[in-house]
mmCIF file with all atom_site columns, all heavy atoms in Angstrom:
data_model
loop_
_atom_site.group_PDB
_atom_site.id
_atom_site.type_symbol
_atom_site.label_atom_id
_atom_site.label_alt_id
_atom_site.label_comp_id
_atom_site.label_asym_id
_atom_site.label_entity_id
_atom_site.label_seq_id
_atom_site.pdbx_PDB_ins_code
_atom_site.Cartn_x
_atom_site.Cartn_y
_atom_site.Cartn_z
_atom_site.occupancy
_atom_site.B_iso_or_equiv
_atom_site.pdbx_formal_charge
_atom_site.auth_seq_id
_atom_site.auth_comp_id
_atom_site.auth_asym_id
_atom_site.auth_atom_id
_atom_site.pdbx_PDB_model_num
ATOM 1   N N   . VAL A 1 61 ? 29.179 -49.066 -10.843 1.00 0.00 ? 67 VAL A N   1
ATOM 2   C CA  . VAL A 1 61 ? 30.085 -48.678 -11.933 1.00 0.00 ? 67 VAL A CA  1
ATOM 3   C C   . VAL A 1 61 ? 29.675 -49.392 -13.215 1.00 0.00 ? 67 VAL A C   1
ATOM 4   O O   . VAL A 1 61 ? 29.553 -48.773 -14.279 1.00 0.00 ? 67 VAL A O   1
ATOM 5   C CB  . VAL A 1 61 ? 31.561 -49.010 -11.583 1.00 0.00 ? 67 VAL A CB  1
ATOM 6   C CG1 . VAL A 1 61 ? 32.459 -48.891 -12.805 1.00 0.00 ? 67 VAL A CG1 1
ATOM 7   C CG2 . VAL A 1 61 ? 32.062 -48.114 -10.469 1.00 0.00 ? 67 VAL A CG2 1
ATOM 8   N N   . ALA A 1 62 ? 29.458 -50.696 -13.122 1.00 0.00 ? 68 ALA A N   1
ATOM 9   C CA  . ALA A 1 62 ? 29.093 -51.476 -14.306 1.00 0.00 ? 68 ALA A CA  1
ATOM 10  C C   . ALA A 1 62 ? 27.772 -51.013 -14.899 1.00 0.00 ? 68 ALA A C   1
ATOM 11  O O   . ALA A 1 62 ? 27.650 -50.863 -16.126 1.00 0.00 ? 68 ALA A O   1
ATOM 12  C CB  . ALA A 1 62 ? 29.021 -52.961 -13.942 1.00 0.00 ? 68 ALA A CB  1
ATOM 13  N N   . LEU A 1 63 ? 26.792 -50.760 -14.057 1.00 0.00 ? 69 LEU A N   1
ATOM 14  C CA  . LEU A 1 63 ? 25.496 -50.275 -14.545 1.00 0.00 ? 69 LEU A CA  1
ATOM 15  C C   . LEU A 1 63 ? 25.625 -48.908 -15.198 1.00 0.00 ? 69 LEU A C   1
ATOM 16  O O   . LEU A 1 63 ? 25.033 -48.648 -16.254 1.00 0.00 ? 69 LEU A O   1
ATOM 17  C CB  . LEU A 1 63 ? 24.480 -50.214 -13.401 1.00 0.00 ? 69 LEU A CB  1
ATOM 18  C CG  . LEU A 1 63 ? 24.016 -51.538 -12.820 1.00 0.00 ? 69 LEU A CG  1
ATOM 19  C CD1 . LEU A 1 63 ? 23.153 -51.295 -11.580 1.00 0.00 ? 69 LEU A CD1 1
ATOM 20  C CD2 . LEU A 1 63 ? 23.257 -52.350 -13.852 1.00 0.00 ? 69 LEU A CD2 1
ATOM 21  N N   . ALA A 1 64 ? 26.403 -48.045 -14.570 1.00 0.00 ? 70 ALA A N   1
ATOM 22  C CA  . ALA A 1 64 ? 26.582 -46.687 -15.101 1.00 0.00 ? 70 ALA A CA  1
ATOM 23  C C   . ALA A 1 64 ? 27.276 -46.714 -16.466 1.00 0.00 ? 70 ALA A C   1
ATOM 24  O O   . ALA A 1 64 ? 26.845 -46.023 -17.397 1.00 0.00 ? 70 ALA A O   1
ATOM 25  C CB  . ALA A 1 64 ? 27.367 -45.828 -14.112 1.00 0.00 ? 70 ALA A CB  1
ATOM 26  N N   . ILE A 1 65 ? 28.323 -47.501 -16.597 1.00 0.00 ? 71 ILE A N   1
ATOM 27  C CA  . ILE A 1 65 ? 29.024 -47.599 -17.884 1.00 0.00 ? 71 ILE A CA  1
ATOM 28  C C   . ILE A 1 65 ? 28.093 -48.193 -18.939 1.00 0.00 ? 71 ILE A C   1
ATOM 29  O O   . ILE A 1 65 ? 28.018 -47.698 -20.056 1.00 0.00 ? 71 ILE A O   1
ATOM 30  C CB  . ILE A 1 65 ? 30.326 -48.421 -17.753 1.00 0.00 ? 71 ILE A CB  1
ATOM 31  C CG1 . ILE A 1 65 ? 31.366 -47.623 -16.961 1.00 0.00 ? 71 ILE A CG1 1
ATOM 32  C CG2 . ILE A 1 65 ? 30.886 -48.785 -19.129 1.00 0.00 ? 71 ILE A CG2 1
ATOM 33  C CD1 . ILE A 1 65 ? 32.643 -48.374 -16.669 1.00 0.00 ? 71 ILE A CD1 1
ATOM 34  N N   . ARG A 1 66 ? 27.379 -49.238 -18.565 1.00 0.00 ? 72 ARG A N   1
ATOM 35  C CA  . ARG A 1 66 ? 26.453 -49.863 -19.515 1.00 0.00 ? 72 ARG A CA  1
ATOM 36  C C   . ARG A 1 66 ? 25.419 -48.866 -20.050 1.00 0.00 ? 72 ARG A C   1
ATOM 37  O O   . ARG A 1 66 ? 25.061 -48.894 -21.216 1.00 0.00 ? 72 ARG A O   1
ATOM 38  C CB  . ARG A 1 66 ? 25.724 -51.028 -18.843 1.00 0.00 ? 72 ARG A CB  1
ATOM 39  C CG  . ARG A 1 66 ? 24.727 -51.725 -19.776 1.00 0.00 ? 72 ARG A CG  1
ATOM 40  C CD  . ARG A 1 66 ? 23.710 -52.539 -19.053 1.00 0.00 ? 72 ARG A CD  1
ATOM 41  N NE  . ARG A 1 66 ? 22.840 -51.680 -18.258 1.00 0.00 ? 72 ARG A NE  1
ATOM 42  C CZ  . ARG A 1 66 ? 21.978 -52.126 -17.368 1.00 0.00 ? 72 ARG A CZ  1
ATOM 43  N NH1 . ARG A 1 66 ? 21.877 -53.407 -17.129 1.00 0.00 ? 72 ARG A NH1 1
ATOM 44  N NH2 . ARG A 1 66 ? 21.224 -51.300 -16.689 1.00 0.00 ? 72 ARG A NH2 1
ATOM 45  N N   . ASP A 1 67 ? 24.955 -47.979 -19.186 1.00 0.00 ? 73 ASP A N   1
ATOM 46  C CA  . ASP A 1 67 ? 23.896 -47.048 -19.570 1.00 0.00 ? 73 ASP A CA  1
ATOM 47  C C   . ASP A 1 67 ? 24.403 -45.753 -20.205 1.00 0.00 ? 73 ASP A C   1
ATOM 48  O O   . ASP A 1 67 ? 23.593 -44.941 -20.646 1.00 0.00 ? 73 ASP A O   1
ATOM 49  C CB  . ASP A 1 67 ? 23.022 -46.725 -18.364 1.00 0.00 ? 73 ASP A CB  1
ATOM 50  C CG  . ASP A 1 67 ? 22.173 -47.902 -17.950 1.00 0.00 ? 73 ASP A CG  1
ATOM 51  O OD1 . ASP A 1 67 ? 22.140 -48.921 -18.679 1.00 0.00 ? 73 ASP A OD1 1
ATOM 52  O OD2 . ASP A 1 67 ? 21.525 -47.815 -16.888 1.00 0.00 ? 73 ASP A OD2 1
ATOM 53  N N   . CYS A 1 68 ? 25.712 -45.554 -20.244 1.00 0.00 ? 74 CYS A N   1
ATOM 54  C CA  . CYS A 1 68 ? 26.244 -44.353 -20.891 1.00 0.00 ? 74 CYS A CA  1
ATOM 55  C C   . CYS A 1 68 ? 25.929 -44.376 -22.384 1.00 0.00 ? 74 CYS A C   1
ATOM 56  O O   . CYS A 1 68 ? 25.824 -45.443 -22.993 1.00 0.00 ? 74 CYS A O   1
ATOM 57  C CB  . CYS A 1 68 ? 27.753 -44.242 -20.667 1.00 0.00 ? 74 CYS A CB  1
ATOM 58  S SG  . CYS A 1 68 ? 28.171 -43.600 -19.033 1.00 0.00 ? 74 CYS A SG  1
ATOM 59  N N   . LYS A 1 69 ? 25.827 -43.198 -22.938 1.00 0.00 ? 75 LYS A N   1
ATOM 60  C CA  . LYS A 1 69 ? 25.470 -43.075 -24.355 1.00 0.00 ? 75 LYS A CA  1
ATOM 61  C C   . LYS A 1 69 ? 26.518 -43.733 -25.236 1.00 0.00 ? 75 LYS A C   1
ATOM 62  O O   . LYS A 1 69 ? 27.714 -43.666 -24.969 1.00 0.00 ? 75 LYS A O   1
ATOM 63  C CB  . LYS A 1 69 ? 25.323 -41.604 -24.726 1.00 0.00 ? 75 LYS A CB  1
ATOM 64  C CG  . LYS A 1 69 ? 24.149 -40.950 -24.052 1.00 0.00 ? 75 LYS A CG  1
ATOM 65  C CD  . LYS A 1 69 ? 24.042 -39.492 -24.401 1.00 0.00 ? 75 LYS A CD  1
ATOM 66  C CE  . LYS A 1 69 ? 22.857 -38.903 -23.632 1.00 0.00 ? 75 LYS A CE  1
ATOM 67  N NZ  . LYS A 1 69 ? 22.786 -37.464 -23.742 1.00 0.00 ? 75 LYS A NZ  1
ATOM 68  N N   . GLU A 1 70 ? 26.023 -44.345 -26.289 1.00 0.00 ? 76 GLU A N   1
ATOM 69  C CA  . GLU A 1 70 ? 26.891 -44.973 -27.289 1.00 0.00 ? 76 GLU A CA  1
ATOM 70  C C   . GLU A 1 70 ? 26.264 -44.708 -28.654 1.00 0.00 ? 76 GLU A C   1
ATOM 71  O O   . GLU A 1 70 ? 25.490 -45.502 -29.166 1.00 0.00 ? 76 GLU A O   1
ATOM 72  C CB  . GLU A 1 70 ? 27.036 -46.474 -27.025 1.00 0.00 ? 76 GLU A CB  1
ATOM 73  C CG  . GLU A 1 70 ? 28.031 -47.161 -27.935 1.00 0.00 ? 76 GLU A CG  1
ATOM 74  C CD  . GLU A 1 70 ? 29.444 -46.618 -27.794 1.00 0.00 ? 76 GLU A CD  1
ATOM 75  O OE1 . GLU A 1 70 ? 29.847 -46.179 -26.715 1.00 0.00 ? 76 GLU A OE1 1
ATOM 76  O OE2 . GLU A 1 70 ? 30.161 -46.644 -28.805 1.00 0.00 ? 76 GLU A OE2 1
ATOM 77  N N   . GLU A 1 71 ? 26.600 -43.550 -29.176 1.00 0.00 ? 77 GLU A N   1
ATOM 78  C CA  . GLU A 1 71 ? 26.094 -43.109 -30.476 1.00 0.00 ? 77 GLU A CA  1
ATOM 79  C C   . GLU A 1 71 ? 27.287 -42.629 -31.295 1.00 0.00 ? 77 GLU A C   1
ATOM 80  O O   . GLU A 1 71 ? 28.355 -42.367 -30.738 1.00 0.00 ? 77 GLU A O   1
ATOM 81  C CB  . GLU A 1 71 ? 25.093 -41.960 -30.285 1.00 0.00 ? 77 GLU A CB  1
ATOM 82  C CG  . GLU A 1 71 ? 23.907 -42.329 -29.397 1.00 0.00 ? 77 GLU A CG  1
ATOM 83  C CD  . GLU A 1 71 ? 23.095 -41.120 -28.959 1.00 0.00 ? 77 GLU A CD  1
ATOM 84  O OE1 . GLU A 1 71 ? 23.369 -39.990 -29.419 1.00 0.00 ? 77 GLU A OE1 1
ATOM 85  O OE2 . GLU A 1 71 ? 22.173 -41.309 -28.144 1.00 0.00 ? 77 GLU A OE2 1
ATOM 86  N N   . PRO A 1 72 ? 27.120 -42.492 -32.607 1.00 0.00 ? 78 PRO A N   1
ATOM 87  C CA  . PRO A 1 72 ? 28.254 -42.052 -33.434 1.00 0.00 ? 78 PRO A CA  1
ATOM 88  C C   . PRO A 1 72 ? 28.915 -40.756 -32.940 1.00 0.00 ? 78 PRO A C   1
ATOM 89  O O   . PRO A 1 72 ? 30.129 -40.645 -32.971 1.00 0.00 ? 78 PRO A O   1
ATOM 90  C CB  . PRO A 1 72 ? 27.634 -41.856 -34.813 1.00 0.00 ? 78 PRO A CB  1
ATOM 91  C CG  . PRO A 1 72 ? 26.475 -42.797 -34.829 1.00 0.00 ? 78 PRO A CG  1
ATOM 92  C CD  . PRO A 1 72 ? 25.945 -42.815 -33.414 1.00 0.00 ? 78 PRO A CD  1
ATOM 93  N N   . ARG A 1 73 ? 28.148 -39.809 -32.467 1.00 0.00 ? 79 ARG A N   1
ATOM 94  C CA  . ARG A 1 73 ? 28.737 -38.556 -31.988 1.00 0.00 ? 79 ARG A CA  1
ATOM 95  C C   . ARG A 1 73 ? 28.764 -38.454 -30.469 1.00 0.00 ? 79 ARG A C   1
ATOM 96  O O   . ARG A 1 73 ? 29.027 -37.384 -29.917 1.00 0.00 ? 79 ARG A O   1
ATOM 97  C CB  . ARG A 1 73 ? 27.996 -37.372 -32.591 1.00 0.00 ? 79 ARG A CB  1
ATOM 98  C CG  . ARG A 1 73 ? 28.190 -37.339 -34.090 1.00 0.00 ? 79 ARG A CG  1
ATOM 99  C CD  . ARG A 1 73 ? 27.649 -36.127 -34.710 1.00 0.00 ? 79 ARG A CD  1
ATOM 100 N NE  . ARG A 1 73 ? 27.802 -36.247 -36.154 1.00 0.00 ? 79 ARG A NE  1
ATOM 101 C CZ  . ARG A 1 73 ? 27.791 -35.242 -36.968 1.00 0.00 ? 79 ARG A CZ  1
ATOM 102 N NH1 . ARG A 1 73 ? 27.633 -34.041 -36.523 1.00 0.00 ? 79 ARG A NH1 1
ATOM 103 N NH2 . ARG A 1 73 ? 27.940 -35.443 -38.255 1.00 0.00 ? 79 ARG A NH2 1
ATOM 104 N N   . LYS A 1 74 ? 28.505 -39.556 -29.825 1.00 0.00 ? 80 LYS A N   1
ATOM 105 C CA  . LYS A 1 74 ? 28.578 -39.630 -28.361 1.00 0.00 ? 80 LYS A CA  1
ATOM 106 C C   . LYS A 1 74 ? 29.064 -41.023 -27.969 1.00 0.00 ? 80 LYS A C   1
ATOM 107 O O   . LYS A 1 74 ? 28.341 -41.811 -27.376 1.00 0.00 ? 80 LYS A O   1
ATOM 108 C CB  . LYS A 1 74 ? 27.209 -39.351 -27.738 1.00 0.00 ? 80 LYS A CB  1
ATOM 109 C CG  . LYS A 1 74 ? 26.727 -37.942 -27.979 1.00 0.00 ? 80 LYS A CG  1
ATOM 110 C CD  . LYS A 1 74 ? 25.384 -37.700 -27.330 1.00 0.00 ? 80 LYS A CD  1
ATOM 111 C CE  . LYS A 1 74 ? 24.943 -36.271 -27.621 1.00 0.00 ? 80 LYS A CE  1
ATOM 112 N NZ  . LYS A 1 74 ? 23.635 -35.973 -27.041 1.00 0.00 ? 80 LYS A NZ  1
ATOM 113 N N   . PRO A 1 75 ? 30.340 -41.336 -28.258 1.00 0.00 ? 81 PRO A N   1
ATOM 114 C CA  . PRO A 1 75 ? 30.860 -42.685 -27.988 1.00 0.00 ? 81 PRO A CA  1
ATOM 115 C C   . PRO A 1 75 ? 31.333 -42.850 -26.542 1.00 0.00 ? 81 PRO A C   1
ATOM 116 O O   . PRO A 1 75 ? 32.431 -43.344 -26.273 1.00 0.00 ? 81 PRO A O   1
ATOM 117 C CB  . PRO A 1 75 ? 32.020 -42.794 -28.976 1.00 0.00 ? 81 PRO A CB  1
ATOM 118 C CG  . PRO A 1 75 ? 32.534 -41.391 -29.054 1.00 0.00 ? 81 PRO A CG  1
ATOM 119 C CD  . PRO A 1 75 ? 31.308 -40.513 -28.966 1.00 0.00 ? 81 PRO A CD  1
ATOM 120 N N   . TYR A 1 76 ? 30.509 -42.444 -25.609 1.00 0.00 ? 82 TYR A N   1
ATOM 121 C CA  . TYR A 1 76 ? 30.922 -42.392 -24.204 1.00 0.00 ? 82 TYR A CA  1
ATOM 122 C C   . TYR A 1 76 ? 31.222 -43.777 -23.626 1.00 0.00 ? 82 TYR A C   1
ATOM 123 O O   . TYR A 1 76 ? 32.206 -43.954 -22.917 1.00 0.00 ? 82 TYR A O   1
ATOM 124 C CB  . TYR A 1 76 ? 29.860 -41.702 -23.355 1.00 0.00 ? 82 TYR A CB  1
ATOM 125 C CG  . TYR A 1 76 ? 29.492 -40.312 -23.804 1.00 0.00 ? 82 TYR A CG  1
ATOM 126 C CD1 . TYR A 1 76 ? 28.300 -39.741 -23.415 1.00 0.00 ? 82 TYR A CD1 1
ATOM 127 C CD2 . TYR A 1 76 ? 30.333 -39.562 -24.631 1.00 0.00 ? 82 TYR A CD2 1
ATOM 128 C CE1 . TYR A 1 76 ? 27.949 -38.456 -23.821 1.00 0.00 ? 82 TYR A CE1 1
ATOM 129 C CE2 . TYR A 1 76 ? 29.987 -38.287 -25.042 1.00 0.00 ? 82 TYR A CE2 1
ATOM 130 C CZ  . TYR A 1 76 ? 28.787 -37.736 -24.632 1.00 0.00 ? 82 TYR A CZ  1
ATOM 131 O OH  . TYR A 1 76 ? 28.449 -36.472 -25.032 1.00 0.00 ? 82 TYR A OH  1
ATOM 132 N N   . ARG A 1 77 ? 30.381 -44.749 -23.918 1.00 0.00 ? 83 ARG A N   1
ATOM 133 C CA  . ARG A 1 77 ? 30.590 -46.094 -23.376 1.00 0.00 ? 83 ARG A CA  1
ATOM 134 C C   . ARG A 1 77 ? 31.914 -46.672 -23.880 1.00 0.00 ? 83 ARG A C   1
ATOM 135 O O   . ARG A 1 77 ? 32.673 -47.272 -23.111 1.00 0.00 ? 83 ARG A O   1
ATOM 136 C CB  . ARG A 1 77 ? 29.435 -47.013 -23.746 1.00 0.00 ? 83 ARG A CB  1
ATOM 137 C CG  . ARG A 1 77 ? 29.533 -48.369 -23.056 1.00 0.00 ? 83 ARG A CG  1
ATOM 138 C CD  . ARG A 1 77 ? 28.413 -49.325 -23.417 1.00 0.00 ? 83 ARG A CD  1
ATOM 139 N NE  . ARG A 1 77 ? 27.134 -48.674 -23.507 1.00 0.00 ? 83 ARG A NE  1
ATOM 140 C CZ  . ARG A 1 77 ? 26.268 -48.859 -24.502 1.00 0.00 ? 83 ARG A CZ  1
ATOM 141 N NH1 . ARG A 1 77 ? 26.543 -49.679 -25.489 1.00 0.00 ? 83 ARG A NH1 1
ATOM 142 N NH2 . ARG A 1 77 ? 25.105 -48.236 -24.505 1.00 0.00 ? 83 ARG A NH2 1
ATOM 143 N N   . THR A 1 78 ? 32.203 -46.478 -25.157 1.00 0.00 ? 84 THR A N   1
ATOM 144 C CA  . THR A 1 78 ? 33.465 -46.981 -25.721 1.00 0.00 ? 84 THR A CA  1
ATOM 145 C C   . THR A 1 78 ? 34.655 -46.332 -25.023 1.00 0.00 ? 84 THR A C   1
ATOM 146 O O   . THR A 1 78 ? 35.618 -47.015 -24.658 1.00 0.00 ? 84 THR A O   1
ATOM 147 C CB  . THR A 1 78 ? 33.528 -46.706 -27.232 1.00 0.00 ? 84 THR A CB  1
ATOM 148 O OG1 . THR A 1 78 ? 32.491 -47.446 -27.872 1.00 0.00 ? 84 THR A OG1 1
ATOM 149 C CG2 . THR A 1 78 ? 34.875 -47.105 -27.819 1.00 0.00 ? 84 THR A CG2 1
ATOM 150 N N   . ILE A 1 79 ? 34.597 -45.034 -24.835 1.00 0.00 ? 85 ILE A N   1
ATOM 151 C CA  . ILE A 1 79 ? 35.702 -44.327 -24.181 1.00 0.00 ? 85 ILE A CA  1
ATOM 152 C C   . ILE A 1 79 ? 35.923 -44.866 -22.777 1.00 0.00 ? 85 ILE A C   1
ATOM 153 O O   . ILE A 1 79 ? 37.052 -45.205 -22.391 1.00 0.00 ? 85 ILE A O   1
ATOM 154 C CB  . ILE A 1 79 ? 35.441 -42.806 -24.166 1.00 0.00 ? 85 ILE A CB  1
ATOM 155 C CG1 . ILE A 1 79 ? 35.521 -42.240 -25.582 1.00 0.00 ? 85 ILE A CG1 1
ATOM 156 C CG2 . ILE A 1 79 ? 36.423 -42.094 -23.239 1.00 0.00 ? 85 ILE A CG2 1
ATOM 157 C CD1 . ILE A 1 79 ? 35.043 -40.808 -25.726 1.00 0.00 ? 85 ILE A CD1 1
#
Side-chain angles (χ1 to χ4, degrees):
V67 168
L69 291 173
I71 289 175
R72 180 199 66 190
D73 289 352
C74 281
K75 293 179 182 171
E76 186 61 31
E77 302 167 6
R79 295 187 184 201
K80 295 181 181 179
Y82 304 160
R83 187 181 320 134
T84 296
I85 291 170

